Amino acid sequence: MNAKRTDLIATIVIDLIVASVVGILFFLLAYILTAGLPHVSWSFLTGATDAFSGAGGIGVQLFNSFYLLVLTMLISVPISLGAGIYLAEYAKDNWRTSLIRSAIEVLSSLPSVVVGLFGFLLFVVKFKIGFSVISGAIALTFFNLPLLTRNIEESLSAVSRSQREAGLSLGLSKWKTELGIILPVALPGIVTGIVLSAGRVFGEAAALIYTAGQSAPVTNFADWNPMDPASPLNPFRPAETLAVHIWKVNTEGLASNAAALSAAASAVLIIAVLLFNLGARLLGTYLYRRVTASK
């Protein structure tokens, strides 16, 4: 068999593999959306859920998901940014740095249910915080830190060495070169990684079952005092998220239309995650064009 025919066969095989993967993805998306979208309405998106049967809307769960996401990113992004800058710019190439990178790899490979059980034992039981938004946010921070740190480190390492040398040759300190030159150039990749990780956090369920809880207490959306138990901004209240709600309706829902409710909530979750991914791509492209002055 000559090289040209071998190359043709290999190309066809690879194309078939890619086509099958894309086909499975589109089939799953089409199945979930066609099953769920007919049951989605404004009242479903804003209504409250019946605590016993699981019937009703997903308004509180949607708010809980976004609120938990915001708290998680507020905690994890600064830590990941500092860790990424240290590993990319300041850490020496020795066994300590290798150990840190290995620990990050191990942490990123942990199943989310293990992270949830760790958060349950530490924050819910040991620290007696209970099932709460803050317990879920801290657990998701452990879940999110390795991926964000690695993304930021790789984005900074991708910046050419000549950029650093140019800043230093102008008399700038290493820290000012990092803030004024390196970070703006790496910003598109960093922002893309942050938005993608936000989509991953938004769809997480296993870790939150054991930390944020499986209930959505009645909240007063007219009360924005974070210290009030009925306030939606209270970080110490239990908070069932959308992904946990889907799991709960499927396993424990007593409503006659539990399958339709689960399908509708799944469609909303899929659309939200798709928007996160699309937003990451568009925002990354926009920032890249702004930073590089390209069209």
Side-chain angles (χ1 to χ4, degrees):
M1 188 180 292
N2 58 36
K4 187 175 291 186
R5 179 169 295 181
T6 303
D7 181 69
L8 178 62
I9 293 174
T11 302
I12 293 173
V13 171
I14 293 173
D15 288 342
L16 288 175
I17 293 173
V18 172
S20 62
V21 172
V22 174
I24 292 171
L25 175 62
F26 274 104
F27 172 76
L28 290 174
L29 289 176
Y31 178 80
I32 294 171
L33 294 177
T34 53
L37 284 180
H39 305 288
V40 177
S41 62
W42 181 251
S43 60
F44 177 75
L45 293 174
T46 58
T49 304
D50 181 73
F52 178 71
S53 65
I58 57 171
V60 177
Q61 285 80 5
L62 265 179
F63 177 83
N64 290 340
S65 297
F66 282 107
Y67 185 39
L68 234 162
L69 172 64
V70 170
L71 286 182
T72 302
M73 302 312 287
L74 284 176
I75 299 171
S76 60
V77 169
I79 299 174
S80 299
L81 187 61
I85 291 174
Y86 170 76
L87 289 172
E89 303 296 331
Y90 293 95
K92 296 179 180 179
D93 189 11
N94 52 30
W95 67 270
R96 293 187 185 87
T97 305
S98 298
L99 182 62
I100 292 172
R101 290 197 174 99
S102 298
I104 291 173
E105 293 291 338
V106 171
L107 192 57
S108 66
S109 64
L110 286 177
S112 57
V113 66
V114 174
V115 177
L117 287 171
F118 168 77
F120 170 75
L121 293 173
L122 185 62
F123 306 116
V124 178
V125 177
K126 182 68 176 177
F127 293 160
K128 302 185 186 304
I129 300 176
F131 294 108
S132 61
V133 176
I134 194 66
S135 295
I138 297 173
L140 288 180
T141 297
F142 284 103
F143 178 72
N144 204 30
L145 274 177
L147 301 173
L148 267 181
T149 301
R150 194 61 185 269
N151 167 258
I152 292 172
E153 181 190 357
E154 290 178 353
S155 297
L156 292 172
S157 299
V159 179
S160 65
R161 186 171 181 82
S162 60
Q163 302 263 21
R164 297 170 173 81
E165 293 172 349
L168 295 174
S169 66
L170 292 173
L172 298 177
S173 64
K174 189 172 184 179
W175 178 242
K176 286 187 177 180
T177 302
E178 185 69 31
L179 288 181
I181 298 176
I182 307 304
L183 269 180
V185 175
L187 189 61
I190 293 173
V191 171
T192 300
I194 289 174
V195 178
L196 289 175
S197 67
R200 187 165 180 253
V201 167
F202 189 84
E204 180 55 41
L208 297 177
I209 292 173
Y210 300 102
T211 52
Q214 305 174 41
S215 61
V218 177
T219 52
N220 179 14
F221 283 93
D223 182 5
W224 296 100
N225 180 9
M227 305 310 296
D228 195 327
S231 172
L233 296 183
N234 184 358
F236 298 102
R237 63 177 178 85
E240 181 188 59
T241 61
L242 184 58
V244 174
H245 178 68
I246 295 170
W247 172 83
K248 188 176 179 181
V249 169
N250 272 304
T251 56
E252 304 175 8
L254 300 177
S256 58
N257 61 338
L261 293 172
S262 175
S266 299
V268 173
L269 182 61
I270 285 292
I271 291 172
V273 173
L274 287 175
L275 288 176
F276 275 115
N277 283 270
L278 180 61
R281 181 174 292 274
L282 294 177
L283 186 59
T285 302
Y286 170 76
L287 289 174
Y288 176 80
R289 289 176 176 174
R290 288 294 301 269
V291 170
T292 61
S294 60
K295 296 183 179 180

